[in-house]
């Protein structure tokens, strides 16, 4: 019987190896993304826009007082700001006073444009600070101090009570993509949530087994199996071209909504099935109508399951790429409309893809990846908690 | 007729109430009362009972309307499937009909994709899709099923609590990040051993796809294994079989249909995967894959690569590629639905 023992042991080793491989791969993937992406994560990365934004602003000047400078920084009293040397963008604003006139600066369209800490000034009046950058050695402290002093002199030398500045709001962050992702989640859930939940209610509470029901189930099973690139093809043809929405938030959200339907319907249906029939019978027996039974008895009891369905959907939207690539576009901006010209916007996932594919920037892509993984893990934990609580409440858990 | 509702024991007071009520709600009583004749109890106050009746009609209509709304929502899924099929197929078959038709045979058997020269052959893409899916199944299914066995049969509870969440997270990772992993880890590793100049290859696609289908295979197989009655195991162990023998000769055969469904679902995922594959496949414009080291261009990546700027004939050809992909998916879906139905009948 030795051979059987040996065989058993070999197979056991294989089983352990497979399980170890599965967990190991996950560790490698997450480890890789964190190691690559951590250098790219910073406060600026999480809080800034993606592209540099240049604005010409006009601002009033204060009375000059003492301009002090130390440690490579200089305080400009007439503007109420502290400037530092910035090798890329000339003059970085490192500190801004509460009563600084720059807080009420006016842009070219006459709107108030609040200059913030972290912005850079590249031009003061006629003096182009940025064009003198190339002559300055970043190691040379004296040259840098002179450069700063020149900027202060330029401000103090202004004869008018106002001065025109060229201000650059530095980009490199993921805020537009994060906002687009949030919009996409909200809009898709707004469309697919009610439809999916009501469909599940119909299938579980109203429909009698028969042709209609089997057709609907068949369709949903098929929807679940269609890969997202096909949804993308359909969306780009129907929503983007035929309905003339162009690459837009709405086209993306509608496409994603169809993708979400099977998830929402099946998860909700499972929950509804788990609600004991006695609940319904008691309610109907007390004289409630079916609608009252559904809205007051069935749905409140199904709430945790519906919540899980919504969480799963959020995970799906956050991770969706192929379909959105063909319907919502790849522009790193916050969509300004639901559809039309300025409505396109890349979600975090799409941006991670374009960063890798088109800009060869694996670090930033992985930094976005970290954000995505954190979201996915949070969603997983949340849905687990909800499910456990739900089960515990119903006494189904051991 | 209205006398019928309020039964014979009506008093003068009641009569008065009715008159008052009628004055306040002209026309209501006559229509309402017909439907609810005799439904109210003897001696009840007519004012109250009539109010209930009024609500009931509204309620009935409401019930019907709401049911219709629910039905409409349920039909959205059906309409979506129909719309997707119709739109993709209509646009995808257009290049092969009409005066200026492209030969369907050339399309399906060609091995060069050169939209600039009006040459569209996708045979090498079909091959690439099939090969990469087959490879992924060959690696992913055994590893996945064994992992499922580990979770369901072998592992102590403490370890299950680590492995299961790991698999759930693996399932949730966006495919773009699998692509990043492929590009940053798998492709450089292949670079070290490949006879070719590039690491993007069929092998890279197979490795990444087999990882991507793992969660599907593991979780479905696991629930299938768990569904096997305990008595089977006890019987097998009781007649002297070892644990491993029990697992492979009794439990897995009993869970066969579930494992099979998992495999089919895995095929569906692998053949439809786009973004991760696009980054690591190489996507050449011509040439059959000759070895696991050669670059490939599966059907899905062909669509995603060019869709954003394609127009006219090229765009139609991308839809035609989509139709071919769709047919594969349909076959997978049908098999899956058949399998689950069979399992359900059991």
């Amino acid at each position: 019987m030795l051979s059987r023992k040996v065989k058993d042991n070999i197979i056991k080793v294989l089983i352990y190896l497979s399980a170890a491989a599965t967990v190991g791969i996950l560790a490698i993937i997450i480890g890789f993304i964190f190691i690559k992406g951590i250098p790219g994560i910073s406060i600026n990365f999480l809080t800034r826009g993606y592209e540099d934004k240049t604005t010409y602003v006009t601002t009033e000047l204060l009375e000059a007082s003492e301009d002090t400078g130390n440690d490579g920084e200089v305080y400009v009293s007439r503007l109420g700001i502290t400037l530092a040397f910035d090798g890329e963008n000339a003059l970085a604003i490192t500190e801004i006073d509460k009563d600084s006139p720059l807080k009420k600066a006016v842009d070219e369209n006459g709107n108030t444009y609040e200059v913030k800490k972290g912005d850079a000034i590249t031009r003061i009046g006629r003096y182009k600070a940025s064009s003198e950058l190339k002559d300055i050695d970043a190691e040379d402290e004296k040259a840098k101090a002179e450069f700063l002093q020149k900027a202060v002199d330029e401000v103090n030398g202004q004869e008018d009570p106002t001065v025109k500045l060229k201000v650059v709001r530095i980009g490199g962050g993921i805020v537009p993509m994060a906002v687009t992702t949030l919009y996409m989640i909200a809009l898709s859930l707004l469309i697919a949530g009610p439809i999916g939940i009501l469909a599940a209610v119909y299938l579980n509470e109203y429909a009698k087994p028969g042709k209609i029901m089997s057709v609907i189930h068949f369709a949903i099973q098929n929807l679940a199996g269609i890969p997202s690139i096909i949804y993308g093809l359909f969306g780009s043809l129907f929503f983007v071209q035929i309905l003339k929405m162009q690459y837009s938030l709405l086209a993306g959200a509608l496409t994603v909504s169809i993708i979400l339907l099977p998830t929402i319907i099946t998860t909700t249906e499972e929950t509804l099935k788990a609600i004991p029939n006695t609940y319904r019978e008691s309610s109907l027996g007390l004289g409630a109508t079916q609608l009252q039974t559904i809205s007051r008895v069935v749905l409140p009891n199904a709430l945790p399951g519906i919540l899980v369905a919504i969480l799963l959907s959020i995970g799906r939207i956050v991770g969706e790429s192929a379909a959105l690539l063909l319907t919502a576009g790849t522009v790193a901006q916050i969509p300004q409309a639901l559809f039309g010209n300025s409505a396109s916007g890349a979600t975090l996932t799409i941006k991670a893809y374009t960063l890798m594919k088109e800009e060869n920037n694996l670090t930033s892509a992985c930094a976005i990846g970290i954000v995505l993984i954190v979201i996915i893990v949070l969603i997983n934990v949340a849905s687990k908690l909800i499910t456990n609580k739900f089960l515990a409440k119903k006494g189904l858990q051991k | 007729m209205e006398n019928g509702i309020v039964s014979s024991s009506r008093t003068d007071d009641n009569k008065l109430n009715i008159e008052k009520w009628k004055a306040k709600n002209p026309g209501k009583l006559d229509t309402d009362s017909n439907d609810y004749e005799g439904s109210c109890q003897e001696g009840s106050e007519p004012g109250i009972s009539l109010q209930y009746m009024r609500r009931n009609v509204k309620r009935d209509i409401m019930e019907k309307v709401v049911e219709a709304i629910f039905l409409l929502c349920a039909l959205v899924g059906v309409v979506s499937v129909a719309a997707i099929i119709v739109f993709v197929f209509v646009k995808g078959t257009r290049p092969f009909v009409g005066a200026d038709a492209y030969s369907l045979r050339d399309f399906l058997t060609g091995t060069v994709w050169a939209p600039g020269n009006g040459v569209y052959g996708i045979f090498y893409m079909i091959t690439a899709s099939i090969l990469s899916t087959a490879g992924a199944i060959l690696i992913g299914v055994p590893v996945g099923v064994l992992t499922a066995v580990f979770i369901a049969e072998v592992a102590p509870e403490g370890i299950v609590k680590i492995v299961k969440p790991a698999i759930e997270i693996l399932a949730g990772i966006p495919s773009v990040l699998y692509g990043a992993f492929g590009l940053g880890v798998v492709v450089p590793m292949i670079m070290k051993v490949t006879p070719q100049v590039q690491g993007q290859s069929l092998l890279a696609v197979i490795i990444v796809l087999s990882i991507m289908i793992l969660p599907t295979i593991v979780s479905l197989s696991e629930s299938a294994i768990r569904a096997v009655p305990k008595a089977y195991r006890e019987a097998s162990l009781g007649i002297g079989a070892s644990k491993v023998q029990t697992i492979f000769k009794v439990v897995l055969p009993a869970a066969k249909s579930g494992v099979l469904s998992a495999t089919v679902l895995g095929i569906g995922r692998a053949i439809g995967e786009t973004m991760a594959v696009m980054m690591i496949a190489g996507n050449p414009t011509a040439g059959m894959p000759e070895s696991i080291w050669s670059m490939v261009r599966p059907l899905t990546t062909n669509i995603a690569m060019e869709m954003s700027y394609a127009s006219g004939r090229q765009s139609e050809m991308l839809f035609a590629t989509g139709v071919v992909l769709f047919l594969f998916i349909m076959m997978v879906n049908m098999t899956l639905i058949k399998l689950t139905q069979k399992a359900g009948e059991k």
Side-chain angles (χ1 to χ4, degrees), chain A residues 139-159:
Chain A
E139 304 292 311
D140 187 351
E141 294 299 329
K142 208 179 146 204
K144 286 201 288 192
E146 274 171 18
F147 178 73
L148 285 174
Q149 194 51 50
K150 201 169 169 195
V152 175
D153 294 346
E154 193 63 40
V155 174
N156 290 340
Q158 294 290 325
E159 283 164 15

Side-chain angles (χ1 to χ4, degrees), chain A residues 106-135:
Chain A
V106 177
D107 69 7
E108 286 181 311
N109 301 326
N111 301 319
T112 312
Y113 181 88
E114 189 188 343
V115 179
K116 289 178 183 156
K117 189 176 147 183
D119 290 352
I121 295 173
T122 57
R123 194 169 163 176
I124 302 167
R126 292 216 183 83
Y127 167 62
K128 283 185 190 168
S130 51
S131 58
E132 294 191 15
L133 265 182
K134 57 180 183 294
D135 303 330

Side-chain angles (χ1 to χ4, degrees), chain B residues 286-299:
Chain B
M288 296 288 285
E290 282 158 6
S291 69
I292 52 170
W293 310 114
S294 37
M295 295 196 288
V296 289
R297 185 184 177 105
L299 292 164

Side-chain angles (χ1 to χ4, degrees), chain A residues 156-175:
Chain A
N156 290 340
Q158 294 290 325
E159 283 164 15
D160 299 334
T162 61
V163 66
K164 202 170 176 190
L165 302 171
K166 186 177 176 185
V167 177
V168 177
R169 181 143 299 161
I170 300 159
I174 56 166
V175 170

Side-chain angles (χ1 to χ4, degrees), chain A residues 4 8 11 16 18-19 22 26 32 198 201-202 206 218-219 222-223 229 238 242 289 291 321 353 376 384, chain B residues 59 63 67 70-71 74 81 87 146-147 150 166 168 170 172 180 185 240 242 245 248 274-275 278-279 333-334:
Chain A
R4 173 173 128 175
D8 280 12
I11 290 176
Y16 278 98
S18 299
T22 308
L26 175 74
F32 165 76
L198 295 190
V201 168
Y202 180 81
Y206 286 99
F218 181 75
N222 265 305
L223 269 186
I229 185 75
F238 187 68
I242 295 179
T289 63
L291 179 58
S321 42
Y353 164 73
I376 299 291
K384 204 62 16 100
Chain B
R59 220 158 76 168
E63 293 278 323
E67 187 178 340
F70 285 1
L71 175 62
V81 174
F87 279 99
L146 287 181
T147 308
F150 176 80
E168 276 158 28
L170 210 54
V185 178
S242 71
Q245 280 175 324
F248 284 87
T274 313
M275 302 303 274
M278 184 150 63
M279 287 184 238
N333 275 353
M334 292 305 154

Side-chain angles (χ1 to χ4, degrees), chain B residues 132-188:
Chain B
S132 47
T133 305
I137 292 297
L138 224 57
I139 301 174
V141 169
V143 175
V145 171
L146 287 181
T147 308
V149 166
F150 176 80
I151 295 174
E153 299 283 323
V154 184
E157 199 147 318
I159 296 182
V160 171
K161 276 191 180 145
I162 302 171
V163 180
K164 268 193 95 165
I167 286 158
E168 276 158 28
I169 289 173
L170 210 54
I173 293 180
S175 60
V176 166
L177 296 186
Y178 280 103
F181 163 74
L183 206 60
V185 178
V186 178
V187 167

